[in-house]
Amino acid sequence: MTPEALLGGFTNAPVQSALAFRSALEALARPGTLHNLTGALPPPPMSKAAGVLVLTLCDGTTPVHLAGPHDCAQVRDWITFHTGAPLVAADKAIFAIGTWAALQPLDRYAIGQPDYPDRSVTLIAELRALTQTGPRLTGPGIKTEARLSLPETAAFAQNRLQFPLGFDCFVTAADLVAGLPRSTKVEAA
Amino acid sequence: MTDQAYNFAYLDEQTKRMIRRAILKGIAVPGYQVPFASREMPMPYGWGTGGVQVTAACLTPVDVLKVIDQGADDTTNAVSIRKFFQRTAGIAVTEATQEATIIQTRHRIPETSLTTGQILVYQVPIPEPLRFLEPRETETRKMHELEEYGLMHVKLYEDIARHGTIATSYDYPVKVEGRYVMDPSPIPKFDNPKLSDSPAIQLFGAGREQRIYALPPYTNVVSLDFDDHPFQPSKAPHDCDLCGAADSYLDEVITDDQGGRMFVCSDTDFCRSRRAAGHVGRLGSAAVEASE
């Protein structure tokens, strides 16, 4: 482990994680809205927003899967030091982090059980940019409709068909986050 | 003033993370009861430990907290929970519904419409709507899995067979987004229509039963009923005796042993702000003097 892994965590965890959780809650409860997440400085290629989500939600009880370029020594060390989360294969993960392409194929992840739909993965998909344009979102948390620059629509539409099973997703870019719960209906614009 | 002997908002960070993950899964599957590892709180089960844990996991230092017990800000449960968070989180508190960012409630939804950015946290005694019909958790879980809710309609039908109408007046079951049947906690059925399409986030915490569930904003919530016996929210057929409101939920107060009684708003903040605005009910002016 390099000394850099020790840096970039919360300086005041109770307050910073409380503020971060409220942003994450608003993001997931209102799909299509963008929220700022700051306070952590994870090593590249992980974005600030994804780093804050990890510090806020992960600990020794939540297996984490790192996909693609995110599965590097710096990120592994950083997550291990700051959260103690075990790093695992995709099928065992409660959280999976990576670019949208690296997270594929999606059928590797836990989507919950019919009697316990909560036992499913939460994907943290890193995008280059995040804007309120693109595919149309409708469903719980959205008054009429919302738009979000998602990397694709088919996977999310397929995910919605499995409801109440399925994965939930945070999409992140730099210090921005948006939420996409499995309940949201995603259609091409 | 924060009591420095405690972590911010009382709970340790690991516990808050666990509760926060449960809340997020609850938001993702509206109406589904997410199991969580409920902690011992410095108050007995049945005094809102579920709501307190959800509130503790959501609080930030900039929040303004309101706590109500059956609509009232000044009853034991509300006062002690408000004081608890003042001590352990150092947050601001209010009695005004529109000023609050988090409202913890026992058995009422405020009369004043909630707004975007507010969170309503319910204290829930029995989260399982099917529990009194089927005591086994293994069975009720299977019924939710298979969307097998016929038993609930049998219960409502039996109400009609026995009383001529659906006599269930509180804890009235609802269906969320056409999927999960949910217990709205023992709010009067008068409040049920406010569950649906609310701009606020609604979170439900059951401490003893170790369940958290949620309604995101603008979620479709339908009270169960029959075509020939449609759902009807009900209240006492009176106006508030203090503020004259005709559209608020009322408490009946016995005033003497001669059959004297009065009806007052159960939502104390709503009633007070109406009286401050000059509305006077049947016993209005006299009662205001008596309480001051």
Side-chain angles (χ1 to χ4, degrees):
Chain A
M1 186 178 285
T2 55
E4 286 73 40
L6 313 187
L7 305 173
F10 285 149
T11 50
N12 182 1
V15 169
Q16 285 175 303
S17 59
L19 292 167
F21 169 69
R22 281 292 283 281
S23 297
L25 174 64
E26 288 287 335
L28 201 69
R30 303 176 198 278
T33 58
L34 304 182
H35 300 265
N36 269 299
L37 286 180
T38 53
L41 278 175
M46 189 182 261
S47 69
K48 252 189 222 174
V52 172
L53 282 177
V54 167
L55 294 186
T56 306
L57 298 174
C58 299
D59 54 38
T61 64
T62 56
V64 170
H65 174 68
L66 294 173
H70 281 69
D71 191 12
C72 62
Q74 288 88 341
V75 174
R76 295 176 78 96
D77 287 350
W78 191 79
I79 290 180
T80 303
F81 175 75
H82 289 282
T83 71
L87 300 171
V88 298
D91 58 327
K92 303 263 193 308
I94 296 291
F95 289 93
I97 307 158
T99 60
W100 185 247
L103 286 170
Q104 311 295 323
L106 296 174
D107 58 7
R108 299 181 291 165
Y109 301 101
I111 56 166
Q113 300 147 3
D115 48 348
Y116 288 97
D118 55 305
R119 295 178 182 173
S120 62
V121 74
T122 302
L123 303 177
I124 300 177
E126 302 259 45
L127 308 183
R128 282 221 177 75
L130 203 50
T131 57
Q132 289 179 304
T133 56
R136 201 164 73 92
L137 315 182
T138 50
I142 303 166
K143 194 171 186 183
T144 49
E145 64 169 48
R147 283 170 194 280
L148 190 62
S149 55
L150 294 170
E152 65 165 303
T153 55
F156 295 106
Q158 180 61 33
N159 190 42
R160 178 67 183 82
L161 292 177
Q162 308 180 90
F163 189 87
L165 302 184
F167 61 82
D168 306 306
C169 194
F170 285 108
V171 285
T172 53
D175 57 1
L176 282 181
V177 66
L180 202 72
R182 68 191 82 172
S183 57
T184 302
K185 207 169 148 193
V186 180
E187 295 159 305
Chain B
M1 188 187 87
T2 310
D3 199 323
Q4 293 298 328
Y6 293 107
N7 187 29
F8 174 73
Y10 185 75
L11 292 173
D12 60 281
E13 290 303 299
Q14 171 111 6
T15 298
K16 281 195 248 174
R17 275 192 296 270
M18 175 271 296
I19 295 171
R20 285 166 181 165
R21 290 192 295 262
I23 292 173
L24 292 179
K25 285 298 171 194
I27 287 284
V29 192
Y32 166 73
Q33 304 160 49
V34 184
F36 82 110
S38 177
R39 299 295 195 245
E40 293 274 349
M41 297 302 284
M43 61 194 75
Y45 286 139
W47 284 76
T49 55
V52 166
Q53 290 177 78
V54 170
T55 300
C58 289
L59 270 183
T60 69
V62 292
D63 273 315
V64 182
L65 180 70
K66 170 183 164 85
V67 186
I68 52 174
D69 171 3
Q70 300 270 15
D73 290 278
D74 52 3
T75 46
T76 313
N77 201 208
V79 170
S80 60
I81 291 173
R82 197 159 57 224
K83 226 169 170 177
F84 172 75
F85 282 117
Q86 273 180 298
R87 268 189 69 186
T88 59
I91 38 94
V93 296
T94 182
E95 294 191 6
T97 301
Q98 66 273 19
E99 285 171 16
T101 53
I102 296 186
I103 303 171
Q104 181 170 333
T105 174
R106 174 177 173 272
H107 308 181
R108 269 317 303 280
I109 299 176
E111 304 289 353
T112 311
S113 301
L114 301 178
T115 56
T116 303
Q118 289 184 315
I119 298 179
L120 187 59
V121 178
Y122 296 76
Q123 303 170 198
V124 183
I126 307 286
E128 177 50 72
L130 303 164
R131 181 61 70 233
F132 290 109
L133 307 172
E134 169 52 66
R136 288 167 296 181
E137 169 66 15
T138 46
E139 290 301 305
T140 51
R141 189 160 287 279
K142 186 65 86 181
M143 290 156 84
H144 283 294
E145 172 187 338
L146 299 175
E147 229 174 317
E148 177 49 71
Y149 295 126
L151 200 54
M152 189 54 91
H153 274 101
V154 172
K155 177 193 179 267
L156 296 176
Y157 168 74
E158 283 180 347
D159 259 13
I160 296 169
R162 201 168 297 157
H163 306 288
T165 59
I166 299 178
T168 305
S169 57
Y170 64 97
D171 232 347
Y172 193 102
V174 295
K175 197 165 202 181
V176 180
E177 287 287 326
R179 179 57 180 85
Y180 284 99
V181 164
M182 187 190 93
D183 188 314
S185 86
I187 58 173
K189 68 176 169 184
F190 174 82
D191 282 341
N192 270 25
K194 298 183 214 160
L195 291 163
S196 192
D197 284 311
S198 169
I201 296 174
Q202 300 175 79
L203 305 175
F204 300 76
R208 179 187 49 221
E209 305 291 324
Q210 316 206 321
R211 295 290 185 275
I212 286 173
Y213 50 106
L215 295 174
Y218 310 114
T219 296
N220 179 252
V221 180
V222 178
S223 303
L224 298 181
D225 61 0
F226 298 96
D227 288 345
D228 53 347
H229 283 88
F231 171 78
Q232 277 172 333
S234 63
K235 65 179 279 264
H238 297 271
D239 294 350
C240 173
D241 282 333
L242 295 183
C243 76
D247 55 355
S248 76
Y249 192 73
L250 302 175
D251 287 338
E252 184 178 6
V253 181
I254 307 293
T255 51
D256 54 36
D257 59 359
Q258 310 296 313
R261 64 194 55 201
M262 66 188 290
F263 290 89
V264 296
C265 292
S266 114
D267 185 334
T268 52
D269 170 57
F270 179 76
C271 198
R272 184 172 35 239
S273 54
R274 271 181 59 86
R275 276 179 289 157
H279 297 278
V280 180
R282 185 174 64 96
L283 304 168
S285 50
V288 169
E289 279 162 30
S291 71
E292 281 170 359

